[in-house]
Amino acid sequence: MPFTYQSIIDLARIPLNDEDEARYSNEMLLSFANQGVLRLLKHRPDLFIGQFGSMPNGEKLLADTFPLPACHVQTVADYVTARAEMTDDEHVNSGRAAAFMQLFSSEAQP
């Protein structure tokens, strides 16, 4: 079964300690997931070769299929975690948010 955007959000909720969905809404985390895929498109357009007819537009739904190979699911989940942490962390550059953003950045490099 292919991964969906819900899969990304579920993975992001683990380090966020939000399995009960009390701290972050699905809509917020989905927005971060869409932005993460768009950042991958910007930095790694080679990942989207052959998908010209269905390029990411930042408007995917939870049930939509993730457009990249499974090895990139955790990368986008790390981005979602970082963005969510940034909304809570007033010291973004010195905490967990920075660590998750670094994970995303290192995985997004060619």
Side-chain angles (χ1 to χ4, degrees):
M1 185 161 103
F3 285 100
T4 64
Y5 280 79
Q6 182 68 58
S7 306
I8 294 168
I9 289 171
D10 292 345
L11 281 172
R13 284 191 189 282
I14 295 169
L16 291 171
N17 295 318
D18 190 36
E19 287 86 6
D20 59 355
E21 302 177 17
R23 293 177 59 204
Y24 305 99
S25 69
N26 279 334
E27 292 78 23
M28 175 189 281
L29 297 181
L30 177 61
S31 173
F32 295 154
N34 278 313
Q35 292 168 21
V37 172
L38 290 175
R39 284 196 60 171
L40 279 176
L41 174 61
K42 179 180 177 182
H43 295 287
R44 293 287 312 274
D46 59 302
L47 294 174
F48 297 88
I49 291 175
Q51 296 186 35
F52 186 71
S54 61
M55 295 295 284
N57 59 7
E59 298 180 7
K60 295 297 184 181
L61 303 174
L62 290 172
D64 288 343
T65 302
F66 185 65
L68 296 171
C71 62
H72 297 287
V73 169
Q74 186 63 54
T75 302
V76 176
D78 291 339
Y79 179 82
V80 172
T81 301
R83 289 294 307 272
E85 289 279 341
M86 285 179 190
T87 63
D88 286 345
D89 189 358
E90 60 192 39
H91 304 289
V92 171
N93 293 324
S94 64
R96 287 171 34 111
F100 279 102
M101 191 56 77
Q102 181 61 34
L103 276 171
F104 170 78
S105 296
S106 67
E107 289 291 323
Q109 296 301 316

